Amino acid sequence: MTITETAATASTRVPTRRTVLMCRPEHFTVSYRINPWMHPEDPTDTSLAVRQWELLHRAYLDLGFDVRLIDPAEGLPDMVYAANGGFVLDGIAYGARFQYPERGPEGPAYLDWFAANGFEVREPVSVNEGEGDFLLVGDRILAGTGFRSDAASHDELRAIYRREVVTLRLVDPSFYHLDTALAVLDPGLSGGDENIAYLPKAFAPESLAWLQRTYPDAILVNDDDAAVLGLNSFSDGYNVVIASRATDFERQLRARGYNPIGVDLSELLLGGGGVKCCTLELRS
Ligand code: ARG
C-alpha cells in the first residue's frame, strides 16, 4: 500500500457503536487446564483480574458502547470469557455447547440471559464455543474448528443465519479459538473495507491459502504479539482495543489509520484469554 492510499483509507475509517455482553471475573481463577496457557499449579489474583477487567469495561464505555452484563456464577471460573457464550446476529442467539465439561454449565447460563433479554434463541446441537470460533466479516461468517468447535456447528450456522460460512482449520494448540488467531478490524459494516489481521502459523495450509487469497491486505502479526494474545482484540471499525503488550500490532494498526487502545489483561491471560474473549458482540 502506498502512503497516499494509506492516508485515504485512514480518513474513511468510521467507528460504529457496538453493543456487547461482558461478565465480571468475580470467580476467576485457574483450577483446571483445558488450554496450554493454563497452569492450575500457579497462583492467580482474582481481585487483580477484576481491576484489569474493569479497565476494559471502562474503555468500552468511553467508546460509547452499550455494555450489558451477565451475572458471574460461582464455580465457573472461565465465565468471564463471554465470547464463548454464544453467537448473536440478526437478533438470534445460537447457544454454545462446550467441548470440556468444566465449562458445560456456561452454555445454558448464557442462553437464559439471551432469552431474558429479548433475543430469539437457538439451542445448539453440535459442540461450539460461540464467538470464540465464529467471527462475522462483512456478510460472511469465518468459523474455526480443530480444537473446540465441531465443523458440524458450521452447518448449524448456515441454516440459522443463511450466510456464507467459511470453515478455517486451526492447527496450533496455543491458538485454539479462532479469536486468538484472527481479528476482525473492519467488518465492512460502516462502508469501509473488510479488514482482518491474523497469525499465519495458526492455520492449516488450505485455510491459510484461502485467507491469503481473500484478504491480501490483511495485517500479519508476529510471534511476540501473538504470544500476548495481541490478536484477541475488539474493533469498532476505527478504535481497536488490544493487549497493551502487542506493540508491533499497535504500530501496524496506527499505520493503517486505526486507533489502537492498549489494555493490560495479564491476569486473564493466565486462563488463555484476552480482550476479545471477554467480549461478546450482540447484533440486533
Ligand atoms: N480458559 C478458557 C478456555 O480454555 C479461555 C477461553 C478464551 N476465550 C476465547 N474466546 N478465546 O476455554
Side-chain angles (χ1 to χ4, degrees):
M1 201 185 269
T2 67
I3 289 166
T4 349
E5 273 163 355
T6 309
T9 318
S11 64
T12 59
R13 301 221 185 280
V14 184
T16 52
R17 186 169 182 262
R18 303 304 163 107
T19 301
V20 298
L21 178 61
M22 299 180 76
C23 180
R24 193 182 300 275
E26 274 164 33
H27 305 290
F28 173 75
T29 187
V30 176
S31 53
Y32 50 80
R33 181 174 165 94
I34 57 173
N35 72 53
W37 305 79
M38 301 174 87
H39 297 283
E41 65 284 6
D42 293 345
T44 50
D45 181 340
T46 306
S47 64
L48 177 58
V50 171
R51 287 199 302 280
Q52 292 181 336
W53 177 93
E54 274 167 355
L55 292 177
L56 177 64
H57 181 238
R58 170 50 47 200
Y60 287 156
L61 293 176
D62 289 347
L63 290 174
F65 290 11
D66 180 2
V67 184
R68 313 280 178 83
L69 297 175
I70 180 173
D71 287 336
E74 214 178 325
L76 296 176
D78 275 340
M79 197 171 167
V80 56
Y81 304 113
N84 300 124
F87 179 76
V88 185
L89 177 60
D90 303 335
I92 305 173
Y94 170 48
R97 202 173 141 202
F98 285 84
Q99 168 83 248
Y100 294 103
E102 290 88 341
R103 297 196 69 184
E106 291 183 48
Y110 276 92
L111 209 63
D112 287 350
W113 188 94
F114 297 133
N117 286 274
F119 293 92
E120 237 183 85
V121 296
R122 295 284 192 279
E123 292 274 352
V125 178
S126 315
V127 168
N128 85 85
E129 300 196 352
E131 212 172 54
D133 272 324
F134 308 145
L135 297 172
L136 181 73
V137 193
D139 227 16
R140 175 189 274 150
I141 301 168
L142 303 185
T145 189
F147 295 99
R148 300 292 180 89
S149 300
D150 198 293
S153 67
H154 304 178
D155 295 329
E156 284 181 65
L157 282 178
R158 275 181 204 105
I160 297 170
Y161 299 106
R162 309 207 167 273
R163 302 271 206 301
E164 181 189 1
V165 178
V166 177
T167 295
L168 296 173
R169 184 162 296 277
L170 298 164
V171 294
D172 184 327
S174 292
F175 305 98
Y176 55 95
H177 277 138
L178 185 62
D179 73 356
T180 64
L182 189 147
V184 182
L185 301 174
D186 193 329
L189 299 176
S190 51
D193 295 332
E194 294 168 13
N195 249 330
I196 65 165
Y198 64 91
L199 176 70
K201 72 169 186 192
F203 294 91
E206 70 281 6
S207 299
L208 179 58
W210 184 86
L211 287 169
Q212 288 167 333
R213 241 184 1 257
T214 313
Y215 303 105
D217 295 327
I219 293 180
L220 306 181
V221 304
N222 65 28
D223 288 355
D224 287 347
D225 287 354
V228 292
L229 286 185
L231 278 168
N232 197 249
S233 56
F234 191 77
S235 171
D236 69 2
Y238 171 60
N239 304 289
V240 189
V241 183
I242 65 168
S244 49
R245 287 188 281 165
T247 49
D248 185 68
F249 186 34
E250 180 186 346
R251 179 192 61 75
Q252 295 204 69
L253 285 168
R254 230 178 264 292
R256 305 282 190 107
Y258 292 99
N259 182 39
I261 298 169
V263 173
D264 180 12
L265 294 183
S266 60
E267 203 58 25
L268 293 166
L269 194 60
L270 302 176
V275 170
K276 178 63 189 68
C277 298
C278 296
T279 314
L280 174 65
E281 187 161 0
L282 303 171
R283 306 174 189 88
S284 46

